[in-house]
Amino acid sequence: MVMKHYPLEFRAEAVALYRCRPGATIKSVAQDLGVNHQTLRNWIRLDDAQRAGAPAATAASASVPVSPEDENAVLRRRVRELEEERDILRKAARYFGGRDALANRFQFVDDHRRHHGVERLCQVIGLARSSYYHWKATASDRAVRAADDANLAARIRTIHLESAGTYGVPRITAELHDTGQVVNHKRVARVMREVGLAGLRLRRRHRTTTADPTTVKAADLLGRDFTAQVPNTRYVGDITYLPIADGTFLYLATVMGLCSRRLVGWAVADHMRTDLVLDALHAAERTRGSLAGAIFHSDHGAQYGAWAFADACRAAGVTRSMGAVGSSADNAAAESLNASFKRKTLQAALSCGSARGARLAVFGWAHRYNTRRRHSHLGHMSPIDYENSLLPTPATLTHAA
């Protein structure tokens, strides 16, 4: 094994460094200096023996005498180093409160390198000099990326605003792709986090379904299969509530096609009587022209089990279907439609407005849902666009009435 030979001056300064650190251990000082801790321990013992006047074990291993003046000079130099280190850390504290702590450290070194030097700054705050120089060399690339992110953030804000604050990462990514801007969804998520944007979450659902044992029951013809290959063959419906500022409620009944998730009919009223769901069904008939041969699926609400509704379905050529009592999963598609409507922003707008404002909000939302809102089930296409894509020749479908 090759033995390291340390200069006598290095040994003396190593011992002085250990002595000027009252709380330090021999092992920690040895690690800082890059020497074996047992070697440093031997140097300290030899120095202790010399100070006490004891004879050294061997002449070869005896410590070189250190005068008080030299020892004081070493201590003064170490005090200056500690004072400089304290000054550096005080200046650096302002830089470490941001989100990107590493980039802030690089910036701190760059701002103070003329006064303290890169090597000293990196040593004090625990940075590799090579990392700093790499950061410095790639500054122009980062500036370009930052400008690109700023442009992307502006586009995302516009899309988010146009969606009434409801779009999250998937739909915004799809919107960007449709406008020719190819961007990864992870980047969209990162930029949205940085600018404080997010899709809206759901609120607790208000109970609108009340089963009536005397109503006309129907078998479950869907079995939780909420798909359809052709428009105007399968529909689902449900009722949800609209809070008004004065503490009252309006109620919304919907009819949605399972092929395109298109809202083909809806009705708003200040009650939940059977007339509400009848009006929604008639609106769907006007939109499609005819519902003959279609299946209409709902929960076991009293309105959907009423004789009047059963007769209306029979007259329209519609076959009724119902899920199990108390199972929201058996009407999940309709529940999802209501959930997309009951977002925090729209909820707040309704609760602050009037009954007329709520009706207008439903009108605007329904048409936007059909013509603009991207649906994940449709490959992030709107319901109208999806139905148009199924036609053999280009055509424009009539919007939901």
Side-chain angles (χ1 to χ4, degrees):
M1 180 178 179
V2 179
M3 300 296 294
K4 289 185 178 180
H5 298 282
Y6 297 95
L8 296 179
E9 182 181 0
F10 178 84
R11 298 183 188 183
E13 290 189 354
V15 173
L17 178 61
Y18 167 73
R19 296 193 187 283
C20 75
R21 292 184 176 179
T25 63
I26 293 177
K27 186 174 183 179
S28 65
V29 174
Q31 288 177 342
D32 290 343
L33 297 175
V35 302
N36 184 278
H37 70 280
Q38 191 60 48
T39 300
L40 179 58
R41 188 185 305 277
N42 291 337
W43 295 345
I44 294 172
R45 287 176 178 172
L46 290 172
D47 188 64
D48 288 341
Q50 182 181 1
R51 287 169 179 265
T58 62
S61 61
S63 178
V64 175
V66 179
S67 66
E69 292 78 6
D70 292 340
E71 184 174 350
N72 288 337
V74 171
L75 292 175
R76 284 194 297 271
R77 184 166 61 251
R78 181 53 185 166
V79 168
R80 286 194 299 270
E81 290 175 355
L82 292 174
E83 289 176 345
E84 182 186 34
E85 182 175 328
R86 180 191 61 188
D87 183 44
I88 291 173
L89 292 176
R90 282 178 176 174
K91 294 176 180 177
R94 300 193 292 271
Y95 286 75
F96 296 163
R99 290 175 295 180
D100 193 342
L102 184 59
N104 289 339
R105 292 188 181 203
F106 290 142
Q107 189 62 55
F108 168 73
V109 173
D110 196 58
D111 291 346
H112 295 83
R113 59 190 173 88
R114 296 185 182 277
H115 182 67
H116 297 285
V118 172
E119 181 177 4
R120 180 59 174 156
L121 290 168
C122 290
Q123 178 189 16
V124 172
I125 66 176
L127 280 180
R129 278 186 294 167
S130 59
S131 298
Y132 163 74
Y133 287 121
H134 174 75
W135 175 86
K136 186 74 171 174
T138 56
S140 59
D141 294 337
R142 288 196 308 277
V144 172
R145 288 196 298 271
D148 289 343
D149 282 351
N151 292 333
L152 178 60
R155 180 67 183 128
I156 288 175
R157 283 193 180 96
T158 300
I159 297 173
H160 192 260
L161 182 62
E162 290 176 350
S163 72
T166 61
Y167 274 15
V169 172
R171 290 187 174 91
I172 287 180
T173 303
E175 186 79 22
L176 290 169
H177 287 178
D178 272 7
T179 59
Q181 186 169 357
V182 180
V183 59
N184 187 279
H185 70 279
K186 294 181 180 179
R187 185 183 176 198
V188 173
R190 173 179 60 79
V191 173
M192 289 184 67
R193 285 196 303 270
E194 291 174 353
V195 299
L197 295 179
L200 293 176
R201 300 181 181 274
L202 306 181
R203 297 182 62 179
R204 178 177 295 181
R205 187 175 185 273
H206 182 72
R207 180 178 177 84
T208 55
T209 302
T210 304
D212 185 346
T214 65
T215 56
V216 184
K217 302 297 188 293
D220 186 352
L221 302 180
L222 299 188
R224 299 187 181 180
D225 178 14
F226 302 110
T227 60
Q229 301 303 315
V230 181
N232 201 23
T233 56
R234 285 182 163 193
Y235 293 95
V236 293
D238 196 12
I239 301 174
T240 191
Y241 76 103
L242 314 177
I244 308 302
D246 60 5
T248 60
F249 293 94
L250 292 181
Y251 298 92
L252 169 67
T254 56
V255 179
M256 181 183 72
L258 290 180
C259 177
S260 64
R261 295 303 197 263
R262 182 180 178 182
L263 182 60
V264 296
W266 74 86
V268 179
D270 59 359
H271 60 80
M272 288 198 300
R273 295 190 296 272
T274 305
D275 290 344
L276 176 65
V277 295
L278 285 174
D279 289 344
L281 182 67
H282 295 327
E285 281 189 284
R286 290 193 297 271
T287 298
R288 290 305 195 191
S290 173
L291 299 177
I295 295 173
F296 179 82
H297 183 83
S298 67
D299 56 25
H300 275 266
Q303 301 87 348
Y304 294 110
W307 286 99
F309 186 75
D311 290 342
C313 288
R314 191 177 304 109
V318 173
T319 302
R320 295 165 61 243
S321 171
M322 286 184 172
V325 177
S327 175
S328 61
D330 284 354
N331 199 22
E335 297 276 353
S336 178
L337 175 70
N338 288 340
S340 68
F341 175 68
K342 301 296 291 294
R343 302 291 184 178
K344 290 182 180 178
T345 299
L346 184 55
Q347 192 91 311
L350 292 173
S351 63
C352 294
S354 61
R356 174 172 172 75
R359 292 175 186 273
L360 291 176
V362 172
F363 174 80
W365 167 81
H367 283 280
R368 178 180 179 80
Y369 175 89
N370 283 333
T371 62
R372 298 285 304 280
R373 185 181 184 276
R374 298 177 180 275
H375 204 296
S376 57
H377 177 77
L378 307 177
H380 291 296
M381 296 176 66
S382 71
I384 292 292
D385 287 342
Y386 183 77
E387 287 194 356
N388 283 333
S389 71
L390 300 178
L391 296 175
T393 57
T396 302
L397 297 182
T398 304
H399 295 177

